[in-house]
Amino acid sequence: MGAWGEGPFENDSAADWCDGLHDADPSERRGMVRAALTTAAHTTGYLEYDDAAAAIAAAAIVASRMPGGPPITSTYAPNFLLAGDALELDEDVPELAAEALVRVLGDHSEWRELWSEAGAMQFPHLEELRAVLPTPTELPGQVGLF
């Protein structure tokens, strides 16, 4: 994994996804955030690292829109967000973001495996996101991690 930090945007996969989101037509961005979160939340098999990293970046964007949510300050986040441009999200997206984070931290997640191999057992940057998102619905085969 090409990561230079633990933050939601501090890896090659997330930065690439953010570049794509920035370059997309503004009318497509809402769907791109939903797609990244849905891919992670609804993958029942092995969750690939790239999909998990995109979902974490998308969840960080969603969390930043929540009351008390952590602001987006990373230079690797989509430039339009750093410039203060709006991104409208559907009402159900915060719960979808929470579900995606549960899946990223669950079994059969390459993201979780790689960070565990690197010695990480706690993920405070994900906990910060999770703290402002609603409690996710239970996903099949998932153990509560939050």
Side-chain angles (χ1 to χ4, degrees):
M1 72 181 157
W4 52 88
E6 295 179 4
F9 305 106
E10 296 174 350
N11 62 78
D12 290 335
S13 297
D16 289 346
W17 182 83
C18 288
D19 285 345
L21 186 66
H22 175 77
D23 292 342
D25 185 275
S27 66
E28 296 174 357
R29 291 173 177 160
R30 176 189 303 197
M32 292 176 69
V33 170
R34 176 179 290 282
L37 296 170
T38 299
T39 296
H42 296 170
T43 294
T44 57
Y46 191 71
L47 180 62
E48 299 291 334
Y49 178 84
D50 290 343
D51 292 334
I56 292 168
I61 292 169
V62 174
S64 75
R65 303 290 194 249
M66 303 297 292
I72 294 176
T73 58
S74 173
T75 58
Y76 299 101
N79 290 336
F80 75 92
L81 292 175
L82 294 171
D85 292 352
L87 176 61
E88 296 296 321
L89 299 171
D90 296 323
E91 190 175 295
D92 65 326
V93 169
E95 184 172 340
L96 184 60
E99 291 173 3
L101 292 178
V102 168
R103 182 61 183 89
V104 165
L105 288 169
D107 294 336
H108 310 294
S109 167
E110 186 177 21
W111 186 94
R112 171 74 183 229
E113 288 176 12
L114 290 171
W115 279 105
S116 293
E117 288 173 7
M121 301 311 281
Q122 296 181 344
F123 306 96
H125 58 287
L126 294 187
E127 292 294 333
E128 181 181 25
L129 302 179
R130 182 57 205 107
V132 298
L133 296 170
T135 302
T137 57
E138 186 175 325
L139 300 174
Q142 295 299 305
V143 176
L145 296 171
F146 295 105

